[in-house]
């Protein structure tokens, strides 16, 4: 099962991703983790990424896609994977589709955790982190909405998008996600 997981800051995506990975035995493909690991291992892609990361610039899509391509060849990805933090733009989604097609694969589902903005704001403000001031929270949510809404439309048109109510307890939200994924697993995607 090949899954893209999308959720705004504060949506609970990290918590749910951890539970889904464990439950279904999926490889966790976090672009942030991959960038740090490649940098630390001093791979060719890692050295290229470090040039951007060290000056606070965004790592170009080609480098990230290269890392994902290499990661997909690892044995733990054969049972399926959950892409977390990528794609974030239409261009990235299109590039991911092309790369997967070259590998004879495609995505099975795109999960979006939906949480009302006032709830996201409440959750983020409640964390008490220095970078979670009201102004910063508002900026992060606006940026997420501007980047992600076109992506949701892109995947909806492909028939891959499944939106899930991200409010309630951790177990309630997890139950909603499993209700979507179990039929896919049982249909032989896994």
């Amino acid at each position: 099962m090949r899954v893209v997981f999308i959720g705004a800051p504060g949506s609970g995506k990290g918590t749910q991703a951890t539970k889904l990975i464990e439950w279904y035995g999926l490889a966790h493909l976090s672009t942030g983790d991959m960038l740090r690991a490649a940098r630390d291992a001093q791979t060719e892609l890692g050295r290229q990424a470090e040039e951007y990361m060290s000056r606070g610039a965004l790592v170009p899509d080609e480098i990230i896609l290269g890392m994902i391509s290499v990661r997909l060849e690892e044995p733990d990805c054969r049972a399926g994977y959950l892409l977390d933090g990528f794609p974030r733009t239409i261009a990235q989604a299109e590039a991911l589709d092309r790369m997967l097609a070259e590998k004879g694969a495609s995505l099975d589902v795109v999960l979006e955790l939906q949480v009302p903005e006032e709830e996201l704001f409440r959750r983020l403000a409640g964390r008490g982190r220095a970078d979670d001031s009201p102004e910063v929270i508002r900026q992060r949510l606006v940026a997420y909405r501007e980047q992600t809404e076109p992506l949701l439309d892109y995947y909806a048109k492909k028939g891959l998008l499944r939106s899930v109510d991200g409010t309630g307890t951790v177990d309630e939200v997890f139950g909603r996600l499993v209700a979507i994924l179990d039929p896919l697993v049982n249909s032989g995607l896994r």
Side-chain angles (χ1 to χ4, degrees):
M1 181 166 48
R2 295 172 296 275
V3 180
V4 166
F5 202 24
I6 299 173
S11 66
K13 183 173 64 83
T15 300
Q16 294 299 333
T18 301
K19 289 177 73 70
L20 290 171
I21 289 157
E22 237 174 72
W23 188 259
Y24 292 106
L26 301 172
H28 185 206
L29 276 59
S30 160
T31 51
D33 291 348
M34 281 187 273
L35 284 167
R36 286 183 290 278
R39 177 194 61 202
D40 295 346
Q42 285 297 295
T43 65
E44 178 57 33
L45 287 170
R47 285 190 294 274
Q48 291 174 23
E50 175 62 17
E51 291 177 26
Y52 294 91
M53 293 164 68
S54 65
R55 58 179 196 264
L58 289 176
V59 177
D61 291 352
E62 322 68 81
I63 294 174
I64 293 174
L65 283 161
M67 287 182 184
I68 292 171
S69 181
V70 168
R71 180 69 178 89
L72 291 179
E73 299 302 321
E74 293 180 23
D76 65 332
C77 288
R78 289 190 195 118
Y81 49 83
L82 183 142
L83 273 162
D84 181 1
F86 189 88
R88 290 179 187 242
T89 64
I90 298 287
Q92 290 176 347
E94 291 169 343
L96 177 64
D97 287 346
R98 285 190 301 274
M99 182 190 64
L100 290 174
E102 289 169 9
K103 294 179 180 293
S106 62
L107 294 172
D108 296 313
V109 66
V110 176
L111 296 172
E112 176 212 9
L113 269 186
Q114 287 186 330
V115 177
E117 198 154 308
E118 55 280 1
E119 174 68 9
L120 292 170
F121 196 90
R122 188 187 63 72
R123 290 179 185 183
L124 292 168
R127 295 192 309 197
R129 294 184 188 167
D131 64 340
D132 284 340
S133 70
E135 301 77 35
V136 171
I137 291 171
R138 264 191 273 295
Q139 288 172 346
R140 289 172 62 202
L141 293 176
V142 166
Y144 172 80
R145 194 171 51 249
E146 287 174 353
Q147 282 185 337
T148 307
E149 281 179 4
L151 195 58
L152 298 176
D153 292 340
Y154 174 83
Y155 284 124
K157 287 176 183 158
K158 290 178 160 285
L160 292 172
L161 183 66
R162 302 290 181 273
S163 295
V164 178
D165 179 1
T167 60
T169 68
V170 169
D171 289 339
E172 287 168 345
V173 175
F174 183 68
R176 292 177 200 131
L177 292 165
V178 168
I180 290 170
L181 294 177
D182 271 358
L184 297 175
V185 171
N186 295 332
S187 71
L189 284 180
R190 192 158 173 229

